[in-house]
Amino acid sequence: MRSGRKYFIYDVFTEDRLAGNPLAVVVEANGLNTASMQAIAREFNLSETAFVLPPKTPTHKAKVRIFTPDYEMPFAGHPTVGTAIALTEMAQDSDLAGIFVLEENIGLVRCAVNKIGNSLFAEFDLPKLPEPLPLAASSDAVAAALGLSPHEIGFENHRVSLWSAGVPYITVPVADTKVAARVRFDNEAWFTFSPRKSDSAVASAYVYCRETVGHDNAFHARMIVPGSPSYEDPATGSAAAAFAGAIMQFDKPTDGVSRFWIEQGIEMGRPSKIRLELDVAGGNLVAARIGGHAVRVAEGAIFA
């Protein structure tokens, strides 16, 4: 019997196993075509599966392709963090600081891995800064699609907006964590106004508030993916990347480095923490980074 292709399962954006966002990393993906990768991702049936391939440029660490069970992603945060940590652990560099480049469909992604506390922490530079996109939907329509009342949408000067740093999200500010917990997603209503991405998937909902459960966190968030059925994601790096645009527009951070911890997945019983750093100069966002921990929970071989 052949040995199969090695894979690992990591929980990402957490230091605790069985929390955060699970990720499959197939570390021996050379020779797989797109259809095979899609089939394997469907077999794992996690929100994303990462496939590690030899880099096109020898000085880079690896080429990484990221698949949901239904389609390939140009970029995603928790697969980038989880894969960076998996590759570091494979190289037995866990006690050393490592900086390297991953080749993803969106472009080159610079990663840094360090050991912080009892587990590895990885962060990456956003390959694309967030940009605003047009959104015609009213806050009343968004509220209805989330099962909320119009007066529960928005806080301070924060309003519903649409941002993308490679993957688009409708960012929806709500009054507090109690309102966030009461979200009941209506697929049909959401499909009437949410812009479609190039792959025909609909932009997802990113619900957030300033009230948090963890005292050291700046925002509380939930992310819901439309579909048949829709599902909630416990930790979403690409959404945090897009959310950086909303922070810049509404909070207007001062020049320098601003750091925010975002909690997510609490309503699902899979708490996670995502670190978002913004570099601001002249009132403009010039760079940003997403970071988090990841822990290995399983490993094996897939015969495909």
Side-chain angles (χ1 to χ4, degrees):
M1 179 182 291
R2 60 194 178 94
S3 59
R5 298 177 185 274
K6 186 78 172 177
Y7 72 85
F8 301 110
I9 305 293
Y10 277 81
D11 284 338
V12 185
F13 291 124
T14 179
E15 294 184 80
D16 302 316
R17 290 179 174 85
L18 309 183
N21 201 348
L23 169 74
V25 185
V26 179
V27 296
E28 297 171 351
N30 202 22
L32 291 174
N33 59 27
T34 298
S36 296
M37 293 183 197
Q38 185 66 76
I40 291 171
R42 192 174 299 118
E43 183 77 10
F44 280 119
N45 201 33
L46 298 175
S47 60
E48 278 116 9
T49 297
F51 295 86
V52 178
L53 299 157
K56 292 183 178 179
T57 301
T59 54
H60 297 160
K61 189 76 166 179
K63 177 176 175 60
V64 180
R65 296 180 66 180
I66 301 166
F67 288 77
T68 75
D70 299 313
Y71 54 87
E72 185 171 9
M73 298 278 286
F75 157 75
H78 99 275
T80 300
V81 167
T83 302
I85 288 176
L87 292 173
T88 301
E89 289 188 335
M90 286 177 61
Q92 298 181 339
D93 291 337
S94 302
D95 294 327
L96 303 175
I99 298 176
F100 50 81
V101 173
L102 298 178
E103 300 170 357
E104 297 188 16
N105 285 351
I106 198 172
L108 302 181
V109 182
R110 178 183 173 274
C111 303
V113 180
N114 293 278
K115 190 168 186 179
I116 300 178
N118 295 321
S119 62
L120 291 180
F121 184 95
E123 67 177 358
F124 61 88
D125 297 333
L126 294 193
K128 181 180 180 182
L129 294 178
E131 59 181 2
L133 300 175
L135 178 65
S138 67
S139 59
D140 288 6
V142 173
L146 296 175
L148 301 175
S149 299
H151 74 273
E152 295 174 313
I153 301 296
F155 63 80
E156 301 163 9
N157 66 329
H158 283 244
R159 298 293 179 264
V160 175
S161 52
L162 175 61
W163 300 87
S164 175
V167 181
Y169 293 90
I170 297 177
T171 57
V172 185
V174 297
D176 52 35
T177 56
K178 291 180 180 178
V179 174
R182 289 196 291 100
V183 167
R184 297 295 180 267
F185 193 80
D186 185 331
N187 255 319
E188 185 175 347
W190 192 265
F191 271 72
T192 62
F193 60 76
S194 181
R196 291 182 177 270
K197 298 183 286 186
S198 59
D199 56 17
S200 297
V202 174
S204 299
Y206 189 71
V207 178
Y208 69 95
C209 61
R210 210 182 292 280
E211 183 184 32
T212 61
V213 175
H215 70 276
D216 58 342
N217 299 325
F219 294 98
H220 177 93
R222 298 181 69 182
M223 198 286 278
I224 302 169
V225 180
S228 300
S230 61
Y231 66 91
E232 185 167 357
D233 199 45
T236 319
S238 60
F243 180 50
I247 292 175
M248 287 298 303
Q249 176 171 327
F250 300 119
D251 286 349
K252 302 188 185 305
T254 57
D255 285 5
V257 178
S258 295
R259 176 179 292 178
F260 306 91
W261 283 99
I262 302 170
E263 63 184 31
Q264 191 180 331
I266 290 172
E267 291 82 0
M268 302 174 64
R270 295 192 66 97
S272 66
K273 290 181 65 172
I274 298 172
R275 192 175 78 182
L276 172 64
E277 288 187 342
L278 308 181
D279 292 346
V280 180
N284 297 313
L285 183 64
V286 295
R289 291 168 296 281
I290 297 287
H293 293 270
V295 289
R296 187 185 299 181
V297 294
E299 61 183 272
I302 185 164
F303 300 96

